[in-house]
Amino acid sequence: MTDTAGEATPGPTGKGRPTPKRPTSKGPVAPPPTTRREAAKRVRQQGATRRQQLRTGRVTGDDEYLLARDQGPVRRLVRDLVDSRRTTATLLLPAAVLPLVGSLSGIKQVEALTQILWIFAITLSLADFVGGGLRIRRAIAERFPDEKRTRGHIFYGIVRMLQFRRLRVPKPRVAVGDVV
C-alpha cells in the first residue's frame, strides 16, 4: 500500500477474521487439571453428563441415542402398535404373587382359587400375545412389504407388552386408543 505522499505503509497483518474451520463456538478451553484427583473428578463429571444425555435421548426416542434393538421405522411401528392398546400381559407379573399369597394362607380353598386365577391370567396373556403378534405381523406386511424377518419384531412387541406402560423405554408416543 502507498499513501498520498508515495511512501509505502505497512498493510494489515492477517485477514482480520477467524479461519473458517476454527472452532469458535466451543468457547475457551478449560485449564488442564493440576492434580490426579481433579482429573478424575472431571472425567466422572463428563461421563455423568454423557450418560444423562444418552438416557434423555433414549427416553424421548431420539434415533441417534436409541439402542440398536430399538432403532428403525419397523421397530417404531411395533412400539406404536403395542402402546396404542392396553394389554392383559402387564397384569401377569402382579398376578404371579397370587399363588404365593394363596400358599401362605394355609387354606386349601384359597390356594385352589389363587391357582385358578393364576392359570386364567396366563391364558389371557397368551391369547394377548398371539393376538398382538398377528396384529404386528399384519401391520409390518402392509407397511413394509420388503421386510422379510418379522419374528424378531414380534418378539420385541411381546416383550414390550409385558412392561408396565410407565416404565417403557422409549416412552410411548401414542395414547391408548389412538389409531396407528
Side-chain angles (χ1 to χ4, degrees), residues 39-164:
K41 183 178 178 183
R42 282 189 193 178
V43 168
R44 279 194 309 272
Q45 286 175 341
Q46 290 170 348
T49 304
R50 178 68 182 149
R51 284 190 301 275
Q52 182 60 37
Q53 286 174 342
L54 287 171
R55 171 81 178 141
T56 304
R58 284 187 192 128
V59 166
T60 58
D62 186 5
D63 274 341
E64 180 182 344
Y65 297 107
L66 287 178
L67 298 174
R69 68 160 193 236
D70 296 326
Q71 291 179 350
V74 179
R75 292 294 169 101
R76 187 177 306 118
L77 171 67
V78 171
R79 283 194 303 269
D80 290 346
L81 285 170
V82 170
D83 295 338
S84 67
R85 299 185 60 247
R86 292 200 190 278
T87 60
T88 59
T90 57
L91 301 176
L92 192 60
L93 186 62
V97 178
L98 286 174
L100 177 66
V101 171
S103 65
L104 292 176
S105 72
I107 304 169
K108 294 292 183 191
Q109 291 85 1
V110 174
E111 289 180 29
L113 179 65
T114 57
Q115 289 292 328
I116 290 170
L117 289 175
W118 171 238
I119 292 170
F120 184 68
I122 290 174
T123 306
L124 278 178
S125 296
L126 288 175
D128 206 12
F129 293 153
V130 170
L134 291 173
R135 200 170 25 263
I136 290 169
R137 179 175 295 179
R138 193 177 324 119
I140 290 174
E142 287 174 5
R143 298 188 189 168
F144 300 98
D146 295 337
E147 188 70 28
K148 301 296 181 207
R149 300 178 322 130
T150 59
R151 190 181 317 166
H153 300 304
I154 292 170
F155 183 72
Y156 177 78
I158 288 172
V159 169
R160 192 159 173 99
M161 282 183 209
L162 282 168
Q163 298 170 344
F164 293 115

Side-chain angles (χ1 to χ4, degrees), residues 2-17:
T2 58
D3 61 0
T4 56
E7 297 175 7
T9 57
T13 58
K15 298 182 293 240
R17 59 181 171 79

